Amino acid sequence: MRVDHEERRRQIAEALLRIADTQGLQSASMRVVAAEAGVSLRLVQYYFKTKQGLLLDALTRLTAQLQARMERWIAEAGSPPTPRGTVTAVLSCILPTDPESRRITRTFAAYYTLVLNDPEVLEKHGARQPEVLEGFLAKQLHAARQAGGIAPGKDPGIAAAGLLAMVNGLGSSVLGGQRSGDEALAILARHLDELFLTPDA
């Protein structure tokens, strides 16, 4: 029987992501991951020589899941996409308002906690996704400013950083039970109304 090696790697990495979501990553030893995946420890070690290799592979898959979610939300925001529609879709889909986004948010939080507790682990990888996302949002805001959709005095980079920081904070408050997902979305909408000069910017 031919073994699908990529499917095996995915099976193991998905097991690690489930552990990250429900328990955090501090206790995610190779043995624990093997038990969660329903495979032998030797098989996990065959596909991933080190725990760091497994962590990075799973992080790449988690990032791809978030990217796919963003692309779906952007596509549903309308065609052709507008800067405001794209920014709204991206920030809204990050907020933990449904099971998928709550799982993704919790799992990214587990990675951030790991980086904070052990700066050498994933040091070069922990900030990559936020930096890419912030740059993408800044590009959209720059296009909106050029088209007269936001005030000329607004700095797209600073605005993008502020929006992303706000959404991250709102996400934490939703997961912590301080407010509902709908309340977080309403706060985001209010800030976007203040940033954009027109509804269809």
Side-chain angles (χ1 to χ4, degrees), residues 51-105:
K51 181 179 176 180
Q52 184 167 341
L54 172 56
L55 286 167
L56 293 178
D57 182 273
L59 179 59
T60 298
R61 294 172 192 272
L62 179 65
T63 301
Q65 292 170 11
L66 177 59
Q67 182 67 34
R69 178 178 170 87
M70 289 180 184
E71 289 172 358
R72 290 197 309 272
W73 281 56
I74 290 171
E76 292 168 3
S79 182
T82 63
R84 177 166 182 165
T86 298
V87 169
T88 302
V90 167
L91 294 175
S92 299
C93 88
I94 294 172
L95 285 172
T97 57
D98 58 35
E100 181 187 38
S101 56
R102 285 193 289 271
R103 174 186 62 78
I104 290 173
T105 300

Side-chain angles (χ1 to χ4, degrees), residues 107-185:
T107 309
F108 270 119
Y111 271 95
Y112 294 148
T113 300
L114 184 69
V115 171
L116 289 173
N117 288 340
D118 189 350
E120 292 185 9
V121 178
L122 307 175
E123 180 181 9
K124 297 179 181 178
H125 304 271
R128 182 176 298 169
Q129 173 64 17
E131 286 174 357
V132 170
L133 185 54
E134 193 174 302
F136 176 78
L137 292 172
K139 183 178 178 182
Q140 296 296 319
L141 295 176
H142 179 72
R145 189 179 67 176
Q146 284 190 314
I150 63 175
K154 290 285 185 180
D155 183 306
I158 292 175
L163 285 170
L164 201 52
M166 180 188 69
V167 165
N168 286 334
L170 286 173
S172 295
S173 71
V174 171
L175 290 180
Q178 181 182 349
R179 59 176 51 86
S180 69
D182 286 342
E183 289 170 336
L185 287 169

